[in-house]
Amino acid sequence: MLTKTSVTGVLLTLFLFFKFGSSIFCYDCNSAFDPRCGERFDPFSLGVVNCSLKDPPEHIEPVEPTFCRIIKMEIYGNVRIVRQCGYLKEESEEHTCRKQTGNGEVFVTYCTCDTDLCNGAPKIHKNMALILAVSLIYYSQNIL
């Protein structure tokens, strides 16, 4: 027999672990404007974007975003991190990181991934979602 608690738990689990349609959700921020987006990433109250609802950049043809991206730029000792939706993959890109160097003191690292909110701190977010789901199920069982 299904109880209200078990139905709530199943729905919460489905919500947390399955993607919504074909869209991907990514963090969308720039450490130049928000320090929480930087190397000490703090997702609390940062923008999460449903990438399928966001317009692609003007310099590319309209295309559905299918991945998240983190770009870390180190320019003359200053670090900037940009987290955003990804629209065009390079053929050799397989959800990994790629490093490029410029003229001496310019270093750029591009990382891509294809799961919701993966351009944050992935292990922490997945563990927190699991802890939240278990806590809510436990809490709802104790109330009823």
Coordinates of all heavy atoms in Angstrom, one line a residue, residues 7 28 30 33 49 51 73 77 86 88 96 108 121 130 137 144:
V7 N 4.9 8.2 -1.7 CA 4.6 8.9 -2.9 C 5.4 10.1 -3.0 O 6.1 10.4 -4.0 CB 3.1 9.2 -3.1 CG1 2.9 10.1 -4.3 CG2 2.3 7.9 -3.2
D28 N 25.0 29.9 -14.4 CA 25.3 31.0 -15.3 C 25.8 32.2 -14.5 O 25.1 32.9 -13.9 CB 24.1 31.3 -16.1 CG 24.3 32.3 -17.2 OD1 25.4 32.3 -17.8 OD2 23.4 33.1 -17.5
N30 N 29.7 34.8 -13.7 CA 31.0 35.3 -14.1 C 31.7 35.8 -12.8 O 31.2 36.7 -12.2 CB 30.9 36.3 -15.2 CG 32.2 36.8 -15.7 OD1 33.3 36.8 -15.0 ND2 32.3 37.2 -17.0
F33 N 32.1 39.5 -12.0 CA 30.9 40.3 -11.4 C 30.4 39.7 -10.1 O 29.7 40.4 -9.4 CB 29.8 40.3 -12.5 CG 30.3 40.8 -13.8 CD1 30.3 39.9 -14.9 CD2 30.8 42.1 -14.0 CE1 30.8 40.4 -16.1 CE2 31.3 42.5 -15.2 CZ 31.3 41.7 -16.3
V49 N 20.2 28.3 -14.8 CA 19.5 28.6 -16.1 C 19.0 27.3 -16.8 O 19.8 26.3 -16.8 CB 20.5 29.4 -17.0 CG1 19.8 29.6 -18.4 CG2 20.9 30.7 -16.4
C51 N 18.8 26.0 -19.9 CA 19.6 26.5 -21.1 C 18.7 26.5 -22.4 O 18.9 27.3 -23.3 CB 20.8 25.6 -21.4 SG 22.0 25.8 -20.1
M73 N 40.1 31.4 -16.9 CA 41.1 32.2 -17.5 C 42.1 32.8 -16.5 O 41.6 33.4 -15.5 CB 40.4 33.4 -18.3 CG 39.4 33.0 -19.3 SD 38.4 34.3 -19.9 CE 37.0 34.2 -18.8
G77 N 48.3 36.5 -13.9 CA 48.0 36.3 -12.5 C 46.6 36.5 -12.0 O 46.3 36.1 -10.9
G86 N 26.5 25.6 -22.9 CA 27.3 25.4 -24.1 C 26.4 25.1 -25.3 O 25.4 24.3 -25.2
L88 N 28.0 24.9 -29.0 CA 28.7 24.3 -30.1 C 29.9 23.5 -29.5 O 30.8 24.1 -28.9 CB 29.2 25.3 -31.1 CG 28.1 26.1 -31.8 CD1 28.8 27.2 -32.7 CD2 27.2 25.2 -32.6
T96 N 35.4 16.7 -21.4 CA 36.6 16.8 -20.6 C 37.1 18.2 -20.6 O 36.4 19.1 -21.0 CB 37.7 15.9 -21.2 OG1 37.9 16.3 -22.6 CG2 37.3 14.5 -21.3
V108 N 44.1 29.4 -20.4 CA 42.7 29.2 -20.4 C 42.4 27.7 -20.4 O 43.0 26.9 -21.1 CB 42.0 29.8 -21.7 CG1 40.5 29.6 -21.7 CG2 42.4 31.3 -21.8
A121 N 30.2 22.4 -8.5 CA 31.1 21.4 -7.8 C 30.3 20.1 -7.8 O 29.5 19.9 -6.9 CB 31.3 21.9 -6.4
L130 N 21.1 14.1 -2.6 CA 20.7 12.8 -2.0 C 20.4 13.0 -0.5 O 19.5 12.5 0.0 CB 21.9 11.8 -2.2 CG 21.7 10.4 -1.6 CD1 20.4 9.8 -2.3 CD2 22.9 9.5 -1.8
I137 N 12.3 12.7 3.2 CA 11.6 11.5 3.4 C 11.5 11.1 4.9 O 10.4 10.8 5.4 CB 12.2 10.3 2.6 CG1 12.0 10.6 1.1 CG2 11.5 9.0 3.0 CD1 12.8 9.7 0.2
L144 N 4.0 12.5 9.9 CA 2.7 11.8 9.7 C 2.6 10.7 10.6 O 2.4 10.1 11.3 CB 2.6 11.2 8.3 CG 2.7 12.3 7.2 CD1 2.7 11.6 5.8 CD2 1.5 13.2 7.3

